Amino acid sequence: MKILKTLTLVLIVCGLATSCFEDNDDNGILSSEINDFVWKGMNFWYLYKDNVPDLANDRFSSDEEYGTYLNTFSEPEELFESLIYQRPTVDRFSWIVDDYIALEQLLNGTTVSNGLKFYSFPPPGNSSDRILAIRQVLVNSVSDNQNLQRGQYINQIDDITLTVDNINPLLSQDTYTLHFADYNDNGTPETGDDTFTSNGATTTLTKVPFTANPIHRAEIINVDGENLGYLMYNGFNASTTDLNNVFGSFKSSGVTNLVLDLRYNPGGFISNAILLSSMITGQFTGDIFSTEQYNNEIQAILEADNPEFLINRFINNDDGMSLNSLN
């Protein structure tokens, strides 16, 4: 199976107080060298290169002009954003990171986390305050081990009432104490008089390195005499074996319908999306799943040298492992 074909600019940058950083060999790297790395990476790989004049191959007439250009940007993030093509409407997805190790861990589902995911909203009649609702508790996480549940409400963190201004800083701490609240509709169908009242319960959580299982829930539900498979899949990065076992269970149970729940899935590996799709279908082996488009220069090279690289196809096995497919 093809590996992930994501082209990522990975930067290690120094703190804001210094213009250089020490690499693993303790050699100082100037910020202009990082900017050089960013520009050259974008010039070579960026999909919308032809639409960005500052990325043209003939943009600079001399090294001096190029160096002057790079030095106009104090941070690599500033240079990167200046080269993005129509950020609000066209390229909404490119991003730059300063820690490639954290990025690799994130792509494999590992983060520093307490295992909670929230959504927030203002309580009735108070647009500046916020209430948190737990929307997901990751299995085997710190929060799961403390028996926290989806649907619980929080109105304070560390004895501080949540507001628009403080909610993100409070949640960004490595350790914090949640203060829980009860919801009361006060016996009326209207929501304007609803209240959230502290109930005295608290839980202190500390974030730790945690690898979430992307297969959050997999179960078989009998509906009107037919077996329905339900899979909540939270990241396209599960192992072939784990995913194949789920579909093996679905298949052996005679599943005739499938609910694929991707509401908390942020994305992941193209290869894993092909794997999952091939397990759901099974009758399209060898057909085109998707095609890929690069900038004109890279596209021309690939079309001339290896056009199949641009095509992703449905599969029926992965490194010799036969896939369980529902057809």
Side-chain angles (χ1 to χ4, degrees), residues 35 72-84 96:
N35 286 349
T72 61
F73 300 95
S74 59
E75 299 293 337
E77 293 85 356
E78 181 186 358
L79 169 61
F80 179 81
E81 284 299 325
S82 76
L83 299 172
I84 295 297
I96 192 170

Side-chain angles (χ1 to χ4, degrees), residues 83-101:
L83 299 172
I84 295 297
Y85 178 61
Q86 296 187 15
R87 169 63 86 188
T89 56
V90 179
D91 185 1
R92 297 177 290 119
F93 302 106
S94 295
W95 84 104
I96 192 170
V97 300
D98 61 3
D99 187 339
Y100 79 93
I101 296 175

Side-chain angles (χ1 to χ4, degrees), residues 94-115:
S94 295
W95 84 104
I96 192 170
V97 300
D98 61 3
D99 187 339
Y100 79 93
I101 296 175
L103 175 62
E104 288 180 336
Q105 291 174 335
L106 177 63
L107 290 173
N108 287 298
T110 299
T111 58
V112 177
S113 171
N114 56 33

